[in-house]
Amino acid sequence: MEDLETDGLVNAPAFSVVVPVYNEETGLAERCAALLDGLPPGAEVVFVCNGCTDRSEAILRETVGARALILLAPKGKAAAIRTGERHVTAFPRFYVDADVEIGGADLCRLAQRLSHGTRLVAPRLRLDLAGASRATRLLYRFAAQLPHWRQGAYHNVLGITEDVRARWGEFPEVIADDTFIESQVVPGEKAIVPEVEAVVRPPRRLWPFIMVRTRWLQGERELAARGFAIPRVAGQRAAILRLIMRPGYLVGGMLYLFANIAARLLAPWRPRRPDDWYHDASARRGR
């Protein structure tokens, strides 16, 4: 791992970055500036506004200048990815959510790991819980100790090699885009790189968390119905039972179980469309 720290910026290959953007005006300028800082020569970056009704497009045009391409696409993350991929050619390729904080230098370090034989990489995710309710703080404290968060959180920022991208054609119209990408590799081909961190702002209240979890379950069920293997981390259920018995974790564990049970009950009934985005407004205030 030492090479990632000392040589990552020097030896990182040129790569491409696709960033779908939907109504992310709060803090967007700062996140874009961080993403573009430290990129290697020849990096291809494309921001794809899809169905935006706020100032996201204007902010991008004010911020990125000639350093990145700004495109428009129909509403929906999959549509945004398809549009973006038609305008980039370089590999490795990164898919980055517009509401995530990660620097260009961090992408360089991830790209270097891909050049060493790994085919799918993701950074370690750090939760920014500023403004979160006490209930959601307890829930996230519990969830962050589980195997999925530590070993299987391939979300928000994903990097892949060219041979992995060749495993499918045009990006499919699916809800769970991150899970779809992860389903294309076997466990020995992927890695979470703990030396690289991305900051995410999850829902600040319990109900929005349940809504996000509901959509996640809908996405997994959609993929399963289409014959894709859903990645799982071994030992998740046993870890929940062990952790909930530890001092200080009972309330968070009960909230976690309640939210997941509620999401499972809602998933079959809540209307779902791949082009819908669920945004928690509270997570986008006060950045």
Side-chain angles (χ1 to χ4, degrees), residues 31-277:
R31 294 192 300 277
C32 288
L35 179 66
L36 294 170
D37 185 33
L39 292 176
E44 303 172 344
V45 183
V46 56
F47 295 91
V48 187
C49 295
N50 59 104
C52 293
T53 57
D54 65 355
R55 295 191 65 251
S56 291
E57 182 187 353
I59 290 170
L60 286 171
R61 298 197 183 280
E62 294 166 2
T63 304
V64 306
R67 294 179 293 172
L69 190 61
I70 301 169
L71 301 173
L72 302 180
K75 183 181 177 184
K77 191 173 181 182
I81 291 174
R82 287 194 296 271
T83 299
E85 288 200 304
R86 295 185 190 114
H87 292 81
V88 294
T89 58
F91 284 93
R93 179 157 301 160
F94 289 94
Y95 305 91
V96 179
D97 288 354
D99 60 345
V100 173
E101 298 174 24
I102 189 167
D106 297 316
L107 294 183
C108 288
R109 295 184 177 96
L110 292 174
Q112 190 190 33
R113 170 62 75 87
L114 287 170
S115 70
H116 289 172
T118 306
R119 290 181 167 83
L120 167 66
V121 294
R124 173 175 55 87
L125 299 180
R126 176 169 66 85
L127 297 177
D128 176 1
L129 298 178
S133 69
R134 177 169 172 75
T136 51
R137 284 176 178 272
L138 290 170
L139 184 155
Y140 292 128
R141 177 173 175 264
F142 182 88
Q145 300 300 314
L146 297 175
H148 174 81
W149 187 258
R150 296 187 169 193
Q151 305 166 27
Y154 290 90
H155 318 304
N156 304 105
V157 179
L158 295 179
I160 60 172
T161 57
E162 186 172 7
D163 67 312
V164 169
R165 183 59 187 85
R167 295 176 186 179
W168 72 88
E170 189 174 62
F171 203 92
E173 193 67 38
V174 294
I175 296 172
D177 52 285
D178 290 347
T179 305
F180 167 76
I181 294 171
E182 188 186 357
S183 75
Q184 302 300 302
V185 302
V186 298
E189 295 180 317
K190 62 186 179 181
I192 292 176
V193 182
E195 299 88 348
V196 180
E197 177 183 88
V199 180
V200 298
R201 286 178 60 87
R204 327 316 270 168
R205 302 291 182 268
L206 187 59
W207 179 249
F209 175 88
I210 292 172
M211 290 293 95
V212 169
R213 184 61 181 161
T214 298
R215 184 169 172 78
W216 187 350
L217 290 172
Q218 290 175 331
E220 285 190 344
R221 292 175 181 181
E222 176 189 50
L223 290 175
R226 294 171 64 168
F228 296 103
I230 305 302
R232 303 292 185 197
V233 177
Q236 179 81 353
R237 292 184 178 180
I240 291 172
L241 294 176
R242 288 195 303 270
L243 185 60
I244 207 168
M245 301 303 293
R246 287 175 53 185
Y249 286 95
L250 176 61
V251 175
M254 296 302 293
L255 289 166
Y256 178 85
L257 290 174
F258 167 77
N260 279 274
I261 291 170
R264 289 186 179 277
L265 293 174
L266 288 169
W269 305 105
R270 184 176 181 271
R272 61 183 184 269
R273 290 172 47 190
D275 63 346
D276 279 342
W277 289 79

